[in-house]
Amino acid sequence: MADEPDADRAAARSGHIPVFLDRTIELFRPVIEAADAQGRRPVIVDGTLGLGGHSSHLLAEFDDLRVLGVDRDPAALEMATRRLTAFRDRFTPVHARFDDFDLIVDSLPTDARDESGPAIDGVLLDFGVSSMQLDVPERGFAYSVDSPLDMRMDPTTGPTAADILADYTRDDLARIFRVYGEERFARQIASAIVRRRDTDPIASSAQLVELLYDTIPQGARRTGGHPGKRVFQALRIEVNAELEAVSSAVPGYLDLLREGGRAVFMAYHSLEDKIVKRELTTRIASRTPPGLPVELPGHGPEFEAVTRGAEKASQTEIDHNPRSASVRVRCVRRIDGRTP
C-alpha cells in the first residue's frame, strides 16, 4: 500500500480522470454477478490500461473480479501497477499492444476458459492517447508545448513522428493528414514539409506548429481551431498504427468473450468509431438468408446491443472532464455460445 499514494498523485498530476466511469461499472455489473452466481471468478481484460483508472474502480467495486491490464507504454504500465498494488492478487499487468492476442491469451488465468478454449467475461477498450502521454512534454504528443516529435506510445520501438516527417513522400504525408486528420490543407502542408526538410528537418513540435501557421491560410485558422490539432492527431495515429490495431482488436476480443460476456468500446474520433460500428453491426445481425420466414438454427445473431447506438458523455461529465466531450461508447453482449 505504501506505493499507492505516489501513483495516485502522479495520476492526478497528469489530469487522469476515467471517462464514463460510473456507466462502465454498471455495464459490467451483470457480467460479474452472473459469474458469481455460477461459482466462477470473472475475468475482464482492460486492453488500454493507461494509468489504471477504470481498472482500479472495477477492482474496488467487485471483490472477486480479476483484471488483465494491457498497455504498450512501459511507463504507464509501471505506474498503473504501482497504483493497483492493493489488488496485486487480482491484477495482472501485460506489456503489449492491445491486439497482441498470443501474449494476452497466454497471460490469462488458467481457469479463464469455457468448452471452446480461452474465454473472458468482459473487455474494455478505451481508444486514443492517455492523459499521461498528452501531459508529459517529452513524449511529443502535444502541440501546445515545444518538445521532440516522438509520439510513440511504446517509446522503445518503431519510428517517431520526426522520422515520418523526414522519410515519407509528399503523397504519403498528404494522405495521412487528409485521412487520419481530416485536414483540408493536407497537400499544402505536405509540400511545405518536403521543401523544408532538405535544409531544416522538422524535429520538434514548435517547428511543426510554426510551419502550420505559415502554411494554413489565416482565415481558416480563425475558424478551424488550433492548426496543430488535426496534423498532430494524424501523425500519432500513423506512428502507433492505431487504426490497424483497432481493426484487429475489435473482432479478436469479441471472439474471446464467453456467452453472456460484454465488450465496452470507447472511441474518440469517427475513424475509430466507424471500425467499431461496422464490426458490431455485423455481429448483432441475423445470419439467416433474407426472405426466409424463420430463423435458421445456428444462424441467429452472435451479439445483442446493450447501448442504443453510441452513448455520449453528459454535459455534467464534460464539465468535470473535458476530454470526455468527443467519446462515443458502444457495448454489446454475447448471446450465443462459441463454436469449439
Side-chain angles (χ1 to χ4, degrees):
M1 293 290 290
D3 290 335
E4 192 176 30
D6 291 338
D8 283 339
R9 282 196 293 271
R13 284 197 302 272
S14 76
H16 180 66
I17 304 173
V19 171
F20 256 62
L21 177 59
D22 292 340
R23 180 63 170 143
T24 300
I25 291 172
E26 292 313 306
L27 287 170
F28 283 124
R29 186 180 298 279
V31 173
I32 294 164
E33 291 178 348
D36 290 342
Q38 296 166 12
R40 296 188 296 103
R41 296 184 63 198
V43 175
I44 286 177
V45 175
D46 183 347
T48 47
L49 180 66
L51 292 175
H54 287 103
S55 285
S56 65
H57 287 85
L58 285 165
L59 287 162
E61 181 76 15
F62 303 109
D63 292 340
D64 290 332
L65 176 65
R66 293 169 293 174
V67 170
L68 198 74
V70 182
D71 207 289
R72 66 168 74 176
D73 185 336
L77 191 67
E78 180 184 359
M79 194 176 296
T81 302
R82 291 203 309 271
R83 185 182 191 186
L84 298 173
T85 298
F87 309 107
R88 64 168 65 90
D89 60 330
R90 297 190 287 125
F91 171 72
T92 303
V94 180
H95 180 218
R97 200 169 84 166
F98 55 68
D99 64 335
D100 186 349
F101 288 107
D102 287 342
L103 186 53
I104 291 165
V105 167
D106 285 347
S107 303
L108 288 172
T110 55
D111 62 339
R113 304 181 64 85
D114 63 13
E115 63 277 4
S116 302
I120 59 176
D121 296 276
V123 59
L124 171 64
L125 290 177
D126 182 1
F127 300 123
V129 66
S130 77
S131 301
M132 186 194 76
Q133 290 159 342
L134 283 171
D135 295 337
V136 177
E138 302 80 48
R139 303 299 297 271
F141 287 95
Y143 48 78
S144 56
V145 236
D146 188 23
S147 61
L149 279 173
D150 192 315
M151 297 195 191
R152 292 172 298 173
M153 291 182 181
D154 182 350
T156 67
T157 185
T160 67
D163 293 331
I164 286 172
L165 294 179
D167 298 336
Y168 276 32
T169 66
R170 182 188 63 184
D171 287 347
D172 283 339
L173 288 172
R175 173 184 55 80
I176 67 169
F177 297 153
R178 182 182 65 255
V179 176
Y180 298 160
E182 299 176 298
E183 172 56 64
R184 284 191 298 151
F185 301 98
R187 181 157 291 277
Q188 294 93 316
I189 294 168
S191 296
I193 290 169
V194 170
R195 283 195 303 271
R196 174 171 171 169
R197 67 188 182 189
D198 288 338
T199 56
D200 187 15
I202 298 169
S204 74
S205 53
Q207 288 175 307
L208 180 55
V209 168
E210 178 188 20
L211 180 141
L212 295 174
Y213 270 105
D214 290 342
T215 306
I216 298 174
Q218 186 175 3
R221 296 203 310 267
R222 281 198 297 266
T223 57
H226 193 286
K229 180 178 181 179
R230 293 176 295 277
V231 169
F232 274 64
Q233 172 182 288
L235 284 171
R236 189 200 79 220
I237 290 172
E238 179 70 11
V239 166
N240 297 290
E242 291 180 29
L243 298 185
E244 172 191 308
V246 174
S247 296
S248 170
V250 175
Y253 280 111
L254 293 177
D255 289 342
L256 270 180
L257 286 173
R258 66 170 66 246
E259 188 170 357
R262 292 188 174 195
V264 176
F265 303 102
M266 299 183 181
Y268 293 83
H269 58 74
S270 61
L271 297 172
E272 295 167 340
D273 190 49
K274 284 177 183 175
I275 294 169
V276 175
K277 181 180 179 181
R278 182 169 60 245
E279 183 67 26
L280 298 189
T281 299
T282 300
R283 298 293 187 113
I284 65 177
S286 169
R287 292 163 288 176
T288 295
L292 294 183
V294 295
E295 191 87 73
L296 291 178
H299 285 68
E302 297 175 80
F303 289 82
E304 65 178 5
V306 177
T307 55
R308 296 186 62 182
E311 293 188 4
K312 303 178 183 179
S314 67
Q315 190 58 51
T316 300
E317 176 162 1
I318 293 170
D319 291 342
H320 181 61
N321 183 9
R323 286 178 178 158
S324 67
S326 61
V327 74
R328 301 292 182 269
V329 179
R330 299 179 187 270
C331 177
V332 292
R333 171 180 174 268
R334 183 159 209 133
I335 57 175
D336 73 341
R338 301 187 303 153
T339 303

